[in-house]
Amino acid sequence: MSGTVLFRRGRVIDPRNGVDGVRDVLVKDGKVAEVSEAPLPVPAGAEVVEAAGRWVLPGFIDLHVHLREPGEEGKETVLTGCRAAVAGGFTAVVAMPNTKVVNDSGLVTELVLSRARAANLCHVYPAGAITKGLKGEELAETGELISAGCVAITDDGRPVMSAALMRRALQYATLFGVPVMVHEEDLTLSAGGAMHEGPTATRLGLRGIPASAEVAMVARDLVLLEETKGRLHIAHVSCEGSVRLIREAKRRGLNVTAEATPHHVILDDRAVGDYDTHAKMAPPLRADRDVEALREALADGTVDAIATDHAPHGVLDKQVEFEKGINGIVGLETALGLTLELVHAGVLTEQRAVALLTHGPAQAFGLPGGHLAPGAPGDVTVVDPIEEWTVDAHRFYSRSRNTPFHGRRQKGRVVQTWVSGRKVYADGQVKESR
């Protein structure tokens, strides 16, 4: 059982509850007990965290993480992924189902949850597959997946090309009260493409993927959403056209949420440079106008959450010709610094940046946490907002090193992570208790 912790005189930023100022936060028995403007007395036996000059935030929540287990434990495991999560300030992650044994059954869901319990670091919420084997042919057993503990269904990594199947998925998921998370890609438009269709692809002689490959599928699924009255979550939005459609859908009252990754709002397709496979991902890095549209969408609420799409891969997956390189980068340990780049650039307020990492994702999937009101989970992230540091991929807790941000200077760093009132990361070290 977690003990008692007093976070003293830190700047508490809790967007859900409209709190932004110096406070004391008392966590007892794994839950927030009190938040006070006045200094609180130190309870007997309590651990005191002197937080003056630091931010005391709700624990970060990542809606989009690939933990690779079961099947590709050489790239990541639930344990190593949870280590990376808490080092990045994340107290909860949603695990994607596109493992080598696809999470399309209650048995695989239970395996992931058992590994998470053994790791005993952060909350892990599995997402189940929409279709059996991610083949896009037949719906998986949605009810079984939800009963086993899945919080959403998705075929992330692949789109559901059949409109009829997607329509049924939205209808079924609505019965169980969970969102359908979609990877929006029209394979007839993206097939053979290696990066965004534009001048950089032309210069490099690479076949491009047009923005329409994403936008067309977003449009289709919003039509299906309106008809079914379901819940739709659009993963890793990357295009200006998608932003316009989502903004209009929200204006009309559709139950749609969306996420953007740090890499899609920091980099554009020029980061590919001279065939840098660390900048190869799906969806691809887009044009600068798409980056600007995504930044505006984060600021105005069109996009609800920042999610990393943490996608670990081995060295040999990337040290190949660009067209053969596997898509994806790791992101859990760089997410805060990249998000704060948008604050330093004047794109986001500090409050909005925190909301995108906490309350926004919690609300999108109906997860516990994301705020610090009394009774909330005692999940707390402590940040030094002025510490400067350099990203060193060789020191990641993740088992993989595939990032385009190695060597990048950052300002603002996670210094402590607490899950259910227990310290799991501090002083640059993960604190394991298994």
Side-chain angles (χ1 to χ4, degrees), residues 366-382:
L367 301 177
H371 69 105
L372 293 175
D379 300 340
V380 178
T381 299
V382 182

Side-chain angles (χ1 to χ4, degrees), residues 88-219:
F90 289 93
T91 57
V93 299
V94 177
M96 295 296 101
N98 60 335
T99 42
K100 286 304 182 182
V101 179
V102 173
N103 187 6
D104 58 5
S105 71
L107 187 63
V108 180
T109 302
E110 290 165 5
L111 172 66
V112 173
L113 287 171
S114 70
R115 294 289 192 271
R117 286 191 294 270
N120 194 28
L121 286 169
C122 67
H123 309 291
V124 175
Y125 299 106
I130 296 174
T131 65
K132 293 181 179 180
L134 305 181
K135 295 178 180 179
E137 298 170 354
E138 183 182 358
L139 288 180
E141 296 292 341
T142 303
E144 177 186 320
L145 289 164
I146 304 308
S147 296
C150 288
V151 298
I153 57 171
T154 180
D155 274 5
D156 182 63
R158 292 190 61 82
V160 177
M161 287 295 292
S162 166
L165 201 60
M166 177 55 69
R167 185 174 184 271
R168 289 200 297 275
L170 283 164
Q171 290 171 327
Y172 271 67
T174 300
L175 296 175
F176 296 100
V178 297
V180 179
M181 180 180 186
V182 283
H183 172 115
E184 300 290 42
E185 179 184 359
D186 186 326
L187 297 175
T188 66
L189 291 169
S190 66
M195 65 172 295
H196 176 64
E197 183 180 85
T200 302
T202 300
R203 177 178 66 82
L204 296 175
L206 295 171
R207 184 169 176 178
I209 299 172
S212 57
E214 174 178 300
V215 179
M217 292 291 275
V218 171

Side-chain angles (χ1 to χ4, degrees), residues 289-417:
R289 67 178 179 276
D290 297 303
V291 174
E292 290 304 313
L294 284 175
R295 290 180 170 196
E296 182 181 340
L298 287 171
D300 70 14
T302 301
V303 170
D304 304 82
I306 288 174
T308 66
D309 194 5
H310 176 82
H313 292 298
V315 174
L316 296 181
D317 295 321
K318 290 291 187 178
Q319 287 187 353
V320 293
E321 300 92 333
F322 192 87
E323 296 95 324
K324 296 179 181 178
I326 296 182
N327 292 312
I329 70 172
V330 291
L332 286 165
E333 295 171 78
T334 55
L336 174 68
L338 296 173
T339 301
L340 291 180
E341 285 192 32
L342 300 180
V343 174
H344 304 323
V347 175
L348 300 176
T349 65
E350 294 163 340
Q351 297 81 1
R352 181 62 186 153
V354 173
L356 288 161
L357 292 166
T358 59
H359 173 54
Q363 187 175 45
F365 275 27
L367 301 177
H371 69 105
L372 293 175
D379 300 340
V380 178
T381 299
V382 182
V383 168
D384 184 332
I386 63 173
E387 181 177 347
E388 297 187 8
W389 59 289
T390 300
V391 176
D392 184 351
H394 303 296
R395 300 184 67 182
F396 283 167
Y397 276 97
S398 172
R399 186 162 279 183
S400 295
R401 306 285 178 261
N402 50 307
T403 176
F405 298 113
H406 176 71
R408 193 179 185 95
R409 291 290 294 169
Q410 303 279 261
K411 182 179 180 182
R413 193 170 195 174
V414 173
V415 292
Q416 291 187 8
T417 306

